[in-house]
Amino acid sequence: MPRSSFSDNPLLRVSRPVSACSRCRSAKVKCDGKLPACTACEKAGRETECSSANDQFARGKERSYVAALELRIEKLERRLTYARSRKASVYQHETDAPPREPERKDSLATIRAAIHRNAARKRETSDVNSLLSDFGFLSINATTGDFEPSTDMTFARLVLAAASNDTLPDPQSWSLPPRQTALAIAQYYMTNIYSLYPAFPETSLYSVLDQIYMTQDRYIKDHDYWLGYMVLAVGSMAQSQTSQDEHYANGLHFVAEALQHADGALMPGHVAQIRSLILLTQYSMLDPAHFDSWHLIGFTCRAVIDLGFHQDPPTEQMPDKTMLDMRRKMFYCVYSLDRSISMVHARAFCFPDAATHVAWPRPSSFSRRASITGQILSGSEPAFLLFQLRRAQSQWYQILFQSDPTPIHDATSFIWQMCQDMREWADALPSTLPVGMRELFDLEGPHITDYGRVLIFEHTLAYLDRIYEVAHSGRSVAFYTYHDALRVFFMANQFAAVLRDAEDLLLAGVNIPPPHTEHGKPQPPPLPSRPGGPAGDNLERSIACLERTLQLMAKFGQLWANSASLKQSLELSTSDLFARLQMRQQMRQRSPPQTVSPPMPREMRWVGVDVEAMIRGNAGGSRNVKYEQ
């Protein structure tokens, strides 16, 4: 990969330990560190508020990141105490004491009790939100390692406090499964997940598992414990079908064991920190009830940037090609996770492509090798394919949603080119690719024309049918997470949207020829193969697709509670369409079929998406794309 100019690939500066006083840091102004008060505080007449070095540390010692956090927390606590005292004096006039438990017949007392409970809950929520919002001004430095031994604040605890949801079970009441069971879980992880995200040397995992299961006492580092337990946690959770089965329970206990070593595993300034955060992010994608993947990938990307992994080092600094390949794999694992999580949540990437300069790992570094268990692993070839796919998707996503709002010249050719690139990539997939991985890649797969409507209808229907078969096959293959439930929800909404927009056209099954394009320009993509051939009934297919999609969301709800709410939302949004399709079905059964002429095209309405705002460039910086009729 040739190195481009600095203006095309700006370097992200590595953060340094905090040295400014708290007031200058909050105001985002330069602090000269002058003693006993800095120049900015002197000019503002706030000398007494300047938290200079002489009142926290000995003269000449640089301010510590943790000390700055503690000082900020102390000030926030004083503000919170003052605010609570002010609120208490106000609420005394409203209600001096909580009302007594009302009698059953006293309806007025019941209403007063409910109002008091709601007011108390609102006050508590407001206080917590106010305190947490102040923490948003604190910068996070993933390379600061000078934590004071007298404080309880660590980087790991900050990460877990921000990304944790529900509490985990107590690991003390649980014992490790038999060694053979753990090896089977590790083998599943290596076959289905490591082959996509090779973030650590393969042999290190089995070495760690051997040490964990040895009877004699041996010293094991925290990040090694974390590696072993988190691999077992991800491998167990990936095999779970419901939140009540044994795999789910084992996953919870494995991650609870790993968290006991979080302070050492997530220690800033070490390469092991990136590996540990990658594993925790993978787990969060399988267990959204306990961890937030969006926050975790943000911490992971910050660690990558602070340690400089987003830029290839000079050759003289890293002559070992094996270590350089491992460094590049770790970067692209984080890159792929960031792109996947950001796109499924419709949010901006943690860092743009222009700020990175990392070559691909050597193809020979993805070669197949025999594991310690004596079995041949599936290899890491799918990882290289995944890296290529995420790189292409990243470029399209940034052009469409993260660039300036000026219109794209010849937007139709741009869309067809994207489709052609995806077809060429899919056609180039090796024949030796495992079936589960090929299925995973196949599923990765505006004012628009009639052919565009047919494309959306056929491809979304094919996707929903395919993912339904994968989910009900009973086989635990590849790496499917809660984000796939979000994709199903999005695809089902788009299927319903295009069906509402051109219901008569799509249900009639009219053969729409591809639009004509000039010679040399990308050609429109073909339609997917249809079950039953071209003569298939689109009305029956649409009704079956909506029914199967709701069943699929219900199955996801057995494992992820959030999917149950997605199912309710999808059920509500498609109820009118489903009823109308069933009415059409009943009318067809009562009367002979009639030929329906194709209607005039109408403007498409996307469910939950303001297309006009996106075209104007007012929705997350989306780009103005104009399509031809």
Side-chain angles (χ1 to χ4, degrees):
M1 182 182 293
R3 182 179 294 273
S4 57
S5 65
F6 180 80
S7 60
D8 295 332
N9 293 306
L11 293 175
L12 298 182
R13 296 184 60 186
V14 177
S15 301
R16 296 182 177 179
V18 178
S19 61
C21 69
S22 59
R23 185 178 176 278
C24 291
R25 196 159 53 253
S26 300
K28 296 183 179 180
V29 298
K30 185 175 181 181
C31 182
D32 56 8
K34 180 182 174 182
L35 300 176
C38 67
T39 303
C41 289
E42 286 182 350
K43 291 182 178 180
R46 302 290 183 87
E47 297 89 342
T48 58
E49 299 181 14
C50 182
S51 57
S52 56
N54 62 343
D55 56 6
Q56 295 184 55
F57 307 98
R59 182 180 295 274
K61 183 176 180 181
E62 183 176 339
R63 291 183 179 87
S64 138
Y65 174 64
V66 175
L69 288 177
E70 291 175 339
L71 180 63
R72 180 67 173 167
I73 292 172
E74 182 181 350
K75 290 185 176 181
L76 292 176
E77 288 177 345
R78 289 200 299 267
R79 290 173 55 189
L80 185 57
T81 302
Y82 175 73
R84 283 175 174 168
S85 64
R86 290 286 303 274
K87 289 181 180 180
S89 63
V90 173
Y91 284 119
Q92 282 179 356
H93 298 281
E94 297 180 358
T95 173
D96 295 333
R100 60 182 176 82
E101 187 67 20
E103 298 179 0
R104 301 182 70 180
K105 297 181 179 181
D106 193 352
S107 60
L108 182 59
T110 302
I111 295 174
R112 287 176 177 174
I115 293 175
H116 181 273
R117 287 193 300 269
N118 291 335
R121 191 157 46 244
K122 289 181 180 179
R123 289 197 299 272
E124 181 181 3
T125 303
S126 177
D127 291 341
V128 172
N129 290 339
S130 177
L131 181 60
L132 291 179
S133 65
D134 287 332
F135 274 99
F137 291 102
L138 299 176
S139 61
I140 297 174
N141 191 332
T143 60
T144 302
D146 58 339
F147 296 115
E148 299 292 335
S150 60
T151 182
D152 291 334
M153 175 66 72
T154 63
F155 183 79
R157 297 185 185 185
L158 181 64
V159 170
L160 296 176
S164 297
N165 296 326
D166 295 344
T167 57
L168 292 166
D170 184 9
Q172 303 300 329
S173 59
W174 178 79
S175 58
L176 284 172
R179 178 189 178 91
Q180 291 301 321
T181 302
L183 287 178
I185 296 174
Q187 190 70 38
Y188 176 87
Y189 177 90
M190 299 300 290
T191 302
N192 297 286
I193 304 172
Y194 180 84
S195 56
L196 292 171
Y197 300 98
F200 54 84
E202 173 189 329
T203 55
S204 61
L205 171 62
Y206 295 100
S207 176
V208 167
L209 292 178
D210 286 339
Q211 295 178 23
I212 291 177
Y213 275 89
M214 282 185 178
T215 55
Q216 63 268 27
D217 294 336
R218 297 191 62 180
Y219 174 73
I220 305 178
K221 297 179 179 179
D222 285 327
H223 60 78
D224 287 334
Y225 269 123
W226 182 277
L227 171 63
Y229 287 134
M230 287 305 302
V231 165
L232 295 177
V234 176
S236 296
M237 196 61 71
Q239 299 180 68
S240 175
Q241 297 296 319
T242 70
S243 58
Q244 308 298 325
D245 60 19
E246 184 180 3
H247 292 297
Y248 189 90
N250 284 336
L252 292 180
H253 286 102
F254 279 128
V255 76
E257 286 280 357
L259 290 183
Q260 297 185 76
H261 307 276
D263 288 345
L266 303 181
M267 176 70 69
H270 301 278
V271 177
Q273 180 200 27
I274 300 178
R275 181 187 71 188
S276 300
L277 286 170
I278 290 174
L279 290 170
L280 186 57
T281 303
Q282 289 177 349
Y283 180 85
S284 68
M285 297 167 66
L286 297 165
D287 187 10
H290 292 90
F291 294 97
D292 189 309
S293 59
W294 172 250
H295 286 90
L296 284 174
I297 193 59
F299 283 113
T300 308
C301 291
R302 182 57 190 264
V304 165
I305 294 172
D306 285 338
L307 291 174
F309 274 51
H310 63 295
Q311 297 285 329
D312 268 345
T315 307
E316 58 273 11
Q317 291 186 9
M318 186 167 287
D320 190 339
K321 294 184 178 180
T322 302
M323 293 181 61
L324 181 59
D325 285 331
M326 192 71 252
R327 174 190 172 109
R328 289 170 173 171
K329 288 179 183 178
M330 292 179 69
F331 167 77
Y332 278 109
C333 285
V334 177
Y335 179 92
S336 300
L337 288 170
D338 173 53
R339 269 45 185 171
S340 175
I341 294 173
S342 298
M343 288 188 295
V344 80
H345 285 95
R347 296 176 177 174
F349 298 147
C350 290
F351 51 83
D353 289 343
T356 65
H357 188 273
V358 181
W360 296 118
R362 293 178 302 163
S364 59
S365 66
F366 293 95
S367 60
R368 301 170 182 264
R369 293 173 295 178
S371 67
I372 293 180
T373 59
Q375 302 178 5
I376 301 298
L377 300 179
S378 63
S380 299
E381 295 87 346
F384 189 66
L385 300 173
L386 180 66
F387 297 163
Q388 292 177 327
L389 175 63
R390 295 293 183 239
R391 192 62 180 265
Q393 291 175 336
S394 177
Q395 294 175 356
W396 303 332
Y397 191 82
Q398 289 178 103
I399 291 174
L400 292 173
F401 299 103
Q402 294 184 244
S403 58
D404 59 89
T406 57
I408 297 179
H409 177 68
D410 196 2
T412 302
S413 296
F414 177 79
I415 297 298
W416 294 153
Q417 183 66 53
M418 289 170 50
C419 296
Q420 179 176 324
D421 292 343
M422 284 298 300
R423 291 201 307 272
E424 292 176 353
W425 176 85
D427 293 340
L429 291 176
S431 58
T432 57
L433 196 66
V435 176
M437 292 299 168
R438 180 173 288 276
E439 286 180 345
L440 180 71
F441 288 138
D442 288 342
L443 292 172
E444 288 283 341
H447 179 76
I448 59 177
T449 63
D450 288 342
Y451 186 77
R453 292 184 175 91
V454 176
L455 272 178
I456 295 175
F457 175 81
E458 292 292 345
H459 279 282
T460 52
L461 197 150
Y463 172 87
L464 294 171
D465 286 345
R466 187 69 175 274
I467 191 69
Y468 178 88
E469 294 173 0
V470 171
H472 288 78
S473 64
R475 296 179 291 114
S476 298
V477 295
F479 187 45
Y480 294 95
T481 68
Y482 168 67
H483 294 162
D484 291 287
L486 294 178
R487 289 190 182 95
V488 169
F489 177 76
F490 173 80
M491 296 292 282
N493 274 283
Q494 303 319 309
F495 174 77
V498 73
L499 196 53
R500 286 193 190 93
D501 178 65
E503 187 174 318
D504 294 336
L505 170 70
L506 296 174
L507 296 182
V510 179
N511 185 20
I512 305 296
H516 175 73
T517 56
E518 298 179 9
H519 180 70
K521 289 190 175 182
Q523 300 297 314
L527 298 175
S529 58
R530 296 171 50 174
D537 187 354
N538 282 355
L539 177 60
E540 300 294 337
R541 294 173 64 206
S542 301
I543 294 176
C545 179
L546 290 175
E547 292 176 342
R548 286 155 64 98
T549 303
L550 291 176
Q551 295 173 12
L552 179 60
M553 296 304 296
K555 182 175 179 60
F556 286 151
Q558 297 176 2
L559 182 58
W560 302 302
N562 295 357
S563 296
S565 61
L566 293 179
K567 175 183 176 294
Q568 294 176 359
S569 177
L570 181 62
E571 206 166 22
L572 182 63
S573 64
T574 59
S575 59
D576 61 329
L577 175 64
F578 191 71
R580 194 162 61 251
L581 294 179
Q582 287 182 321
M583 185 177 298
R584 278 177 173 265
Q585 187 182 44
Q586 295 173 2
M587 294 176 62
R588 175 184 294 182
Q589 293 172 354
R590 297 172 184 172
S591 60
Q594 299 179 359
T595 304
V596 180
S597 59
M600 295 296 292
R602 296 177 295 166
E603 182 182 359
M604 180 176 179
R605 299 295 180 185
W606 297 80
V607 175
V609 178
D610 188 349
V611 178
E612 295 180 359
M614 294 175 63
I615 294 178
R616 291 195 303 269
N618 297 332
S622 60
R623 193 159 184 171
N624 186 359
V625 182
K626 295 182 179 178
Y627 295 87
E628 297 178 358
Q629 179 68 16

